[in-house]
Each structure stands twice: as C-alpha cells, then as structure tokens.
Amino acid sequence: MRTATALTTLLLAGLIAGGAQATPLRSLGIKDPDTKAWWQIAETLSSDAMEGRDIGSPGHHRAALVVAARFKAAGLKPAGDKGTYIQTFAVHESRVEKAGTSFQVTRADAAPLKLEFLHQITVRATDDLPSRLDAPLTFRGYCDSKELADAKGKVVVCFNTRRTGLPSAGQRVQAAFAAGAAGLLQVDDPYFTIEPSRWPDAYARSVAIAGSAPSAASNLPVMRLSADAFRAMLVGSGQDGETILKTGGAKQPLAAFEIPGRLQAQFRVTMRDFKAENVLALLPGRDPALKNQYLALSAHLDGYGYGEPVAGDGLYNGTLDDAAYVGTLIRFADKHKGHPLRRSVLLAAFTGEEKGLLGAHWFVDHPSVPKASIVADINLDQLRPLFALDIMTELAVNDTTLGSTAREVAASMAIRIQSDPEPERGLLQRADHWPFMQAGIPATGFIFGYVPGTEAEQRYREWYQVRYHRPQDDLTQPMDFDAAGKFNRFFYTFAESVADAEAKPDWTARRAPPN
C-alpha cells in the first residue's frame, strides 16, 4: 500500500507534467536560467489543468499542493495549521445566477429595454438581495447624500465616478440606503481612461470570511450599468446620455431629473460555504539576535476560475495575476535553500485576494508567527512585464523606510523609483500588502512604470483593457522576459537587503498606517 506522502508525490508529478504538456512551453526559448525556471512555474500554475485557481475550487487546491511541494523541496519549514504548509479558513459565498436573473426598463411609450446580465448590467451578490425589484428611475448626479432627499422607493441612477473629491462607491451606497432608495444603479465613467470599465463581468459573486457581519445595506440592490446601456436608457427622455457622461467625466455639476420608466429585475441567489487555503512556509533566520523577527513575502494564488466567456474563452487562467509572482516566491525559496538570511522570512501564497484580500486579512488576524514580530510585508501583485524595466512605481514609497531601501537597490540596477502617478485607482488598497499596513506593519508593492505617451504606456493600457481579469491573461500573452528577469533580480536583492539589515523597517514621517 502506498503511503500518503508517496501518493501526494505522484499526484504532484502528474500535475506538473500534465500542466506543462497543456501549455505552449515558451520557457524553452528563454535563455536566462532563473527566468526560465520562473516561467516554468507560471506554466504549471496557470495551465488549464489548474482551472484558473478560483478560491475554494479543486484547481486552487491542486495549485496549493504544487506550491506547498515546491516550498518543501526548497527546505522551507511549514508555517500553516498543525505542522502543515496550509492555513485554512471558512468562507461564505453568495452568487447571482444567470438562469433566473433578468433586467429590463419598461416605458409607457416605448418597448421594454432589455439589459443583458453581465454584459450591460450586473448586481452585487448578497444573501439579502430581494428576489424582485420594480421601481421608478431617477438620475441623481454623483449621489451625494444631499442629492437624495426625496429618493425613497426609487432606483437612484448615479455617475460611477472614481475621481478624487467626489463621493466614493461606498459613500453612494450608504447615501442611497439612508435615503430609503429601492436600488442603486451606478453608470460607468467611459472617460476614466487610466483604468477603463470593461464588460463582460466574469460573474456576480461575493465571498466573505465566514461570520463576517453583513453591511446594514446588504438588502439594497447595488448595480452597475454600462455607458452604452445608459445612453440607450435615456433615448426619448429629453436627456442626452453622452452629454451627461462627458460632464461627469469632467467632474462638472450634474443636474437631477426623473427618468421616464421603471427598472424591473428578478434575482436568483445561491449560497454555499467552503474552506479556503493559504500556503505558508518559513525560512528560519540565521542571526540569533534577529531570527525571531519575520519578513513576510507575499503573492496571491487565487484567480477567477471559470467565468463569462470573452472571445470564446471562459477560463480565466490568471498568469500574471498572480501565478507568475507566486513563482517568484518559489524561486526566492530555491535561491536560499541552505542559505538563510539574518531575519526569518515567511513566504505566503494567499487566497481570496480577488474577492477582497481575504487570505491576507485572515493571516494578519490569525498569524502563524507572532504578529508583533512581523517587521514588514513585500507583496508581489499588479506587475506587468510588458516592456523594459527602467521605471518602477512603489506604493507607499514615502511612508516607510522600505522606500529608501528599494530606491538604493533599484539605483544599482538603473531603475528609477517613483510614487504612484495615478492615486485615483486606489491600487494601494487593492492588494495583499494593505491588511498588513492596516495592522501597523510597514508594507509595499510595485508596478512597472513608463514615460507617459510612449509605447510602454500603450502596452500597459492595452493590458488593462484586454487582459486584466480576463481569459486573455494567459500563457500566450505578449511578454518582455528580460524585464521580468530584471524585476525578479530586483526583488531578490531588495528582500535580502531588508532581511539582513541591522535595523528593521519603520514608518517615516507618517509613522502610522494609512487610513
């Protein structure tokens, strides 16, 4: 009878071989050995065999086994539950199903305008979502609370701006709920070109850590509408949709008006509970005075899995988001097999990042090492090696001493570090370093930078338009492997510098995590 360990070894060997055979094996043409080994990991973790690594899915579990086996082979110690490499936690999912869900705008003097779910309109999934919605429509600009005084019982239509100085999405939800609105319909800003809205949505799902308290507004239908559907909704109303969109895109005042018609919708919600998995491993430090301090290095393992097809492809492989950078963690571990650093290094492949940084939040609240001894987190996400690496954005670069260390390392490699040139996107709060910062732990992440107006910017924008959270983020996409290798070398050196420094990272002038 084979032992469990032997069976696991055979399973992983089959997964790795099967994943490699199912991919184009571009790694065979890469000359740099480290970059080649890195991309081979990406080929395995984002192959079709891993089914997009959706949180809690069989494909994610298979990927987690591969990562755990690689950490073990590199000599890392398990840092998960009960002497394993896996940390599990319970999650709850709400999902709005396509079958049984429909939307239309009915008007007295025109045929109903049917809206295609996930292609023109979507809705936030909650357990408390009502099964039906039938209410009049009213346009209320940016949906500041002052604009919603008489919106009770109506679906308030708002310009879904992400621009500074105007209500945020959360503020709009709270204002609509407080006003007693029947629903909130947020219209895409087509002129927010630094990160444009895209359709279709993969699915309408919410996943939360089990036991999380629902928001007070969880029974409010919160919907998103495409700009094209908004234009169509206003035909015959006496209002020009394009003029409103341009005015909102310019942050100019928007007048309120009643939209002739009612939004009628049906929702079918399903729920399930399951276990999620972080993969955690430890490289113990060598310095008796520093080995009880821990530098966390993180990336997220989960992707989107199967979703609404785009150009005939319904599998969201998530190669650069973020399988390849779990590969960077593995290559860091490989480099340091038998070569520990002064501080201990915790390597974390978190899950649930795509559903709200769930795995990172769980780990920070339930750390497997003393939280007070975690000196920093360096997170790998939002990295797109599409062009030469000469400029790099560092998030929170001026908030902690990690910024000065990164600048020193980058300068030695002819890389210029800059602060975030597009803070409206909120990238600081959108990746797994954020829960560490909220807990008062210095943390950072990086983005490939470019000179505005250059071909590099064109490639960067094209990636977000065509591949971000899309099936097209796969192993066949354009890549600059020299830039990818250069970033990995930067990361190795930067992490080593932080782990070996006499002083641990600290907050600078702010000396507290951002709010």
Side-chain angles (χ1 to χ4, degrees):
M1 181 176 179
R2 290 177 175 143
T3 66
T5 301
L7 286 171
T8 300
T9 301
L10 287 171
L11 169 64
L12 292 176
L15 284 172
I16 292 170
Q21 291 167 6
T23 67
L25 288 178
R26 293 170 70 186
S27 58
L28 295 177
I30 300 173
K31 295 180 180 179
D32 174 63
D34 180 68
T35 305
K36 179 176 181 178
W38 166 75
W39 190 247
Q40 285 172 334
I41 299 168
E43 287 175 329
T44 296
L45 293 180
S46 64
S47 70
D48 289 358
M50 300 303 174
E51 299 180 300
R53 309 179 314 283
D54 195 8
I55 180 174
S57 69
H60 185 285
H61 180 65
R62 290 193 290 272
L65 290 178
V66 170
V67 176
R70 290 297 301 258
F71 282 164
K72 182 178 181 180
L76 301 186
K77 306 298 182 184
D81 299 333
K82 300 178 181 179
T84 71
Y85 292 92
I86 305 296
Q87 180 187 49
T88 63
F89 58 99
V91 295
H92 177 76
E93 175 188 286
S94 305
R95 181 181 185 119
V96 181
E97 302 288 355
K98 283 191 73 176
T101 296
S102 63
F103 300 82
Q104 68 174 9
V105 176
T106 59
R107 297 168 286 193
D109 57 351
L113 173 65
K114 295 187 180 298
L115 300 171
E116 187 177 359
F117 183 39
L118 301 180
H119 291 258
Q120 295 175 300
I121 191 169
T122 189
V123 62
R124 179 184 66 174
T126 71
D127 290 3
D128 301 324
L129 193 67
S131 60
R132 292 179 180 272
L133 173 64
D134 185 350
L137 290 155
T138 183
F139 183 78
R140 296 302 172 96
Y142 301 107
C143 279
D144 182 273
S145 58
K146 299 187 294 294
E147 298 174 296
L148 302 181
D150 61 344
K152 186 174 182 179
K154 300 177 181 180
V155 174
V156 292
V157 181
C158 311
F159 190 74
N160 191 14
T161 185
R162 291 167 59 184
R163 300 172 192 272
T164 56
L166 294 170
S168 67
Q171 289 170 330
R172 290 192 292 271
V173 171
Q174 291 306 313
F177 176 72
L184 173 66
L185 185 59
Q186 303 184 92
V187 179
D188 286 348
D189 177 356
Y191 296 101
F192 192 74
T193 56
I194 59 175
E195 190 174 326
S197 301
R198 292 154 301 112
W199 294 88
D201 269 2
Y203 36 63
R205 291 170 57 201
S206 298
V207 183
I209 294 171
S212 301
S215 73
S218 62
N219 64 342
L220 178 72
V222 177
M223 297 161 283
R224 181 169 77 93
L225 185 71
S226 74
D228 284 343
F230 177 68
R231 294 183 185 101
M233 179 187 291
L234 294 189
V235 170
S237 70
Q239 302 288 337
D240 182 66
E242 180 58 24
T243 298
I244 293 169
L245 293 171
K246 286 182 176 178
T247 302
K251 294 178 61 174
Q252 297 301 305
L254 290 169
F257 58 89
E258 301 305 304
I259 300 174
R262 302 176 70 86
L263 180 65
Q264 296 178 329
Q266 294 184 347
F267 307 114
R268 186 168 79 86
V269 179
T270 59
M271 291 163 273
R272 69 181 180 119
D273 298 286
F274 56 92
K275 297 290 187 181
E277 298 172 320
N278 289 330
V279 187
L280 306 174
L282 188 67
L283 175 65
R286 70 171 190 269
D287 188 328
L290 297 178
K291 67 180 182 180
N292 292 324
Q293 296 180 10
Y294 301 89
L295 169 63
L297 306 178
S298 58
H300 72 86
L301 182 59
D302 67 303
Y304 269 70
Y306 289 102
E308 196 70 5
V310 179
D313 187 355
L315 179 55
Y316 292 58
N317 297 82
T319 296
L320 292 183
D321 191 15
D322 194 29
Y325 290 97
V326 174
T328 301
L329 296 184
I330 291 170
R331 290 300 298 150
F332 181 90
D334 291 342
K335 263 179 63 75
H336 291 281
K337 184 175 184 179
H339 302 283
L341 299 161
R342 295 182 69 193
R343 287 183 176 83
S344 295
V345 180
L346 177 84
L347 286 88
F350 290 130
T351 192
E353 191 272 350
E354 301 291 9
K355 303 300 184 285
L357 318 184
L358 303 184
H361 276 296
W362 181 264
F363 173 80
V364 169
D365 290 340
H366 304 84
S368 55
V369 298
K371 185 188 297 186
S373 299
I374 302 174
V375 300
D377 172 63
I378 304 171
N379 188 55
L380 295 170
D381 193 8
Q382 305 172 334
L383 293 157
R384 322 296 181 212
L386 310 171
F387 44 82
L389 181 55
D390 303 313
I391 306 170
M392 193 155 54
T393 296
E394 181 177 359
L395 299 171
V397 62
N398 296 317
D399 294 346
T400 77
T401 58
L402 292 169
S404 58
T405 305
R407 282 191 168 110
E408 184 177 335
V409 173
S412 72
M413 302 177 65
I415 301 171
R416 175 171 65 84
I417 295 282
Q418 65 180 6
S419 59
D420 186 0
E422 298 172 347
E424 304 98 322
R425 295 173 65 193
L427 296 179
L428 181 65
Q429 296 86 16
R430 288 168 56 182
D432 284 329
H433 49 257
W434 182 242
F436 288 87
M437 298 182 76
Q438 290 178 301
I441 299 168
T444 195
F446 299 92
I447 304 159
F448 276 50
Y450 49 81
V451 174
T454 61
E455 183 182 351
E457 181 182 13
Q458 292 175 7
R459 293 183 183 183
Y460 183 85
R461 302 292 185 206
E462 187 267 353
W463 196 91
Y464 273 92
Q465 180 68 48
V466 175
R467 304 179 199 283
Y468 180 53
H469 292 171
R470 286 288 181 272
Q472 287 68 36
D473 177 15
D474 64 11
L475 291 164
T476 67
Q477 66 189 293
M479 287 280 294
D480 186 325
F481 286 106
D482 290 339
K486 186 175 181 179
F487 174 81
N488 286 344
R489 291 189 295 275
F490 162 82
F491 172 76
Y492 303 151
T493 306
F494 176 46
E496 290 160 0
S497 298
V498 175
D500 281 343
E502 191 65 33
K504 64 182 181 181
D506 200 356
W507 298 90
T508 54
R510 196 192 300 244
R511 302 190 70 82
N515 293 323

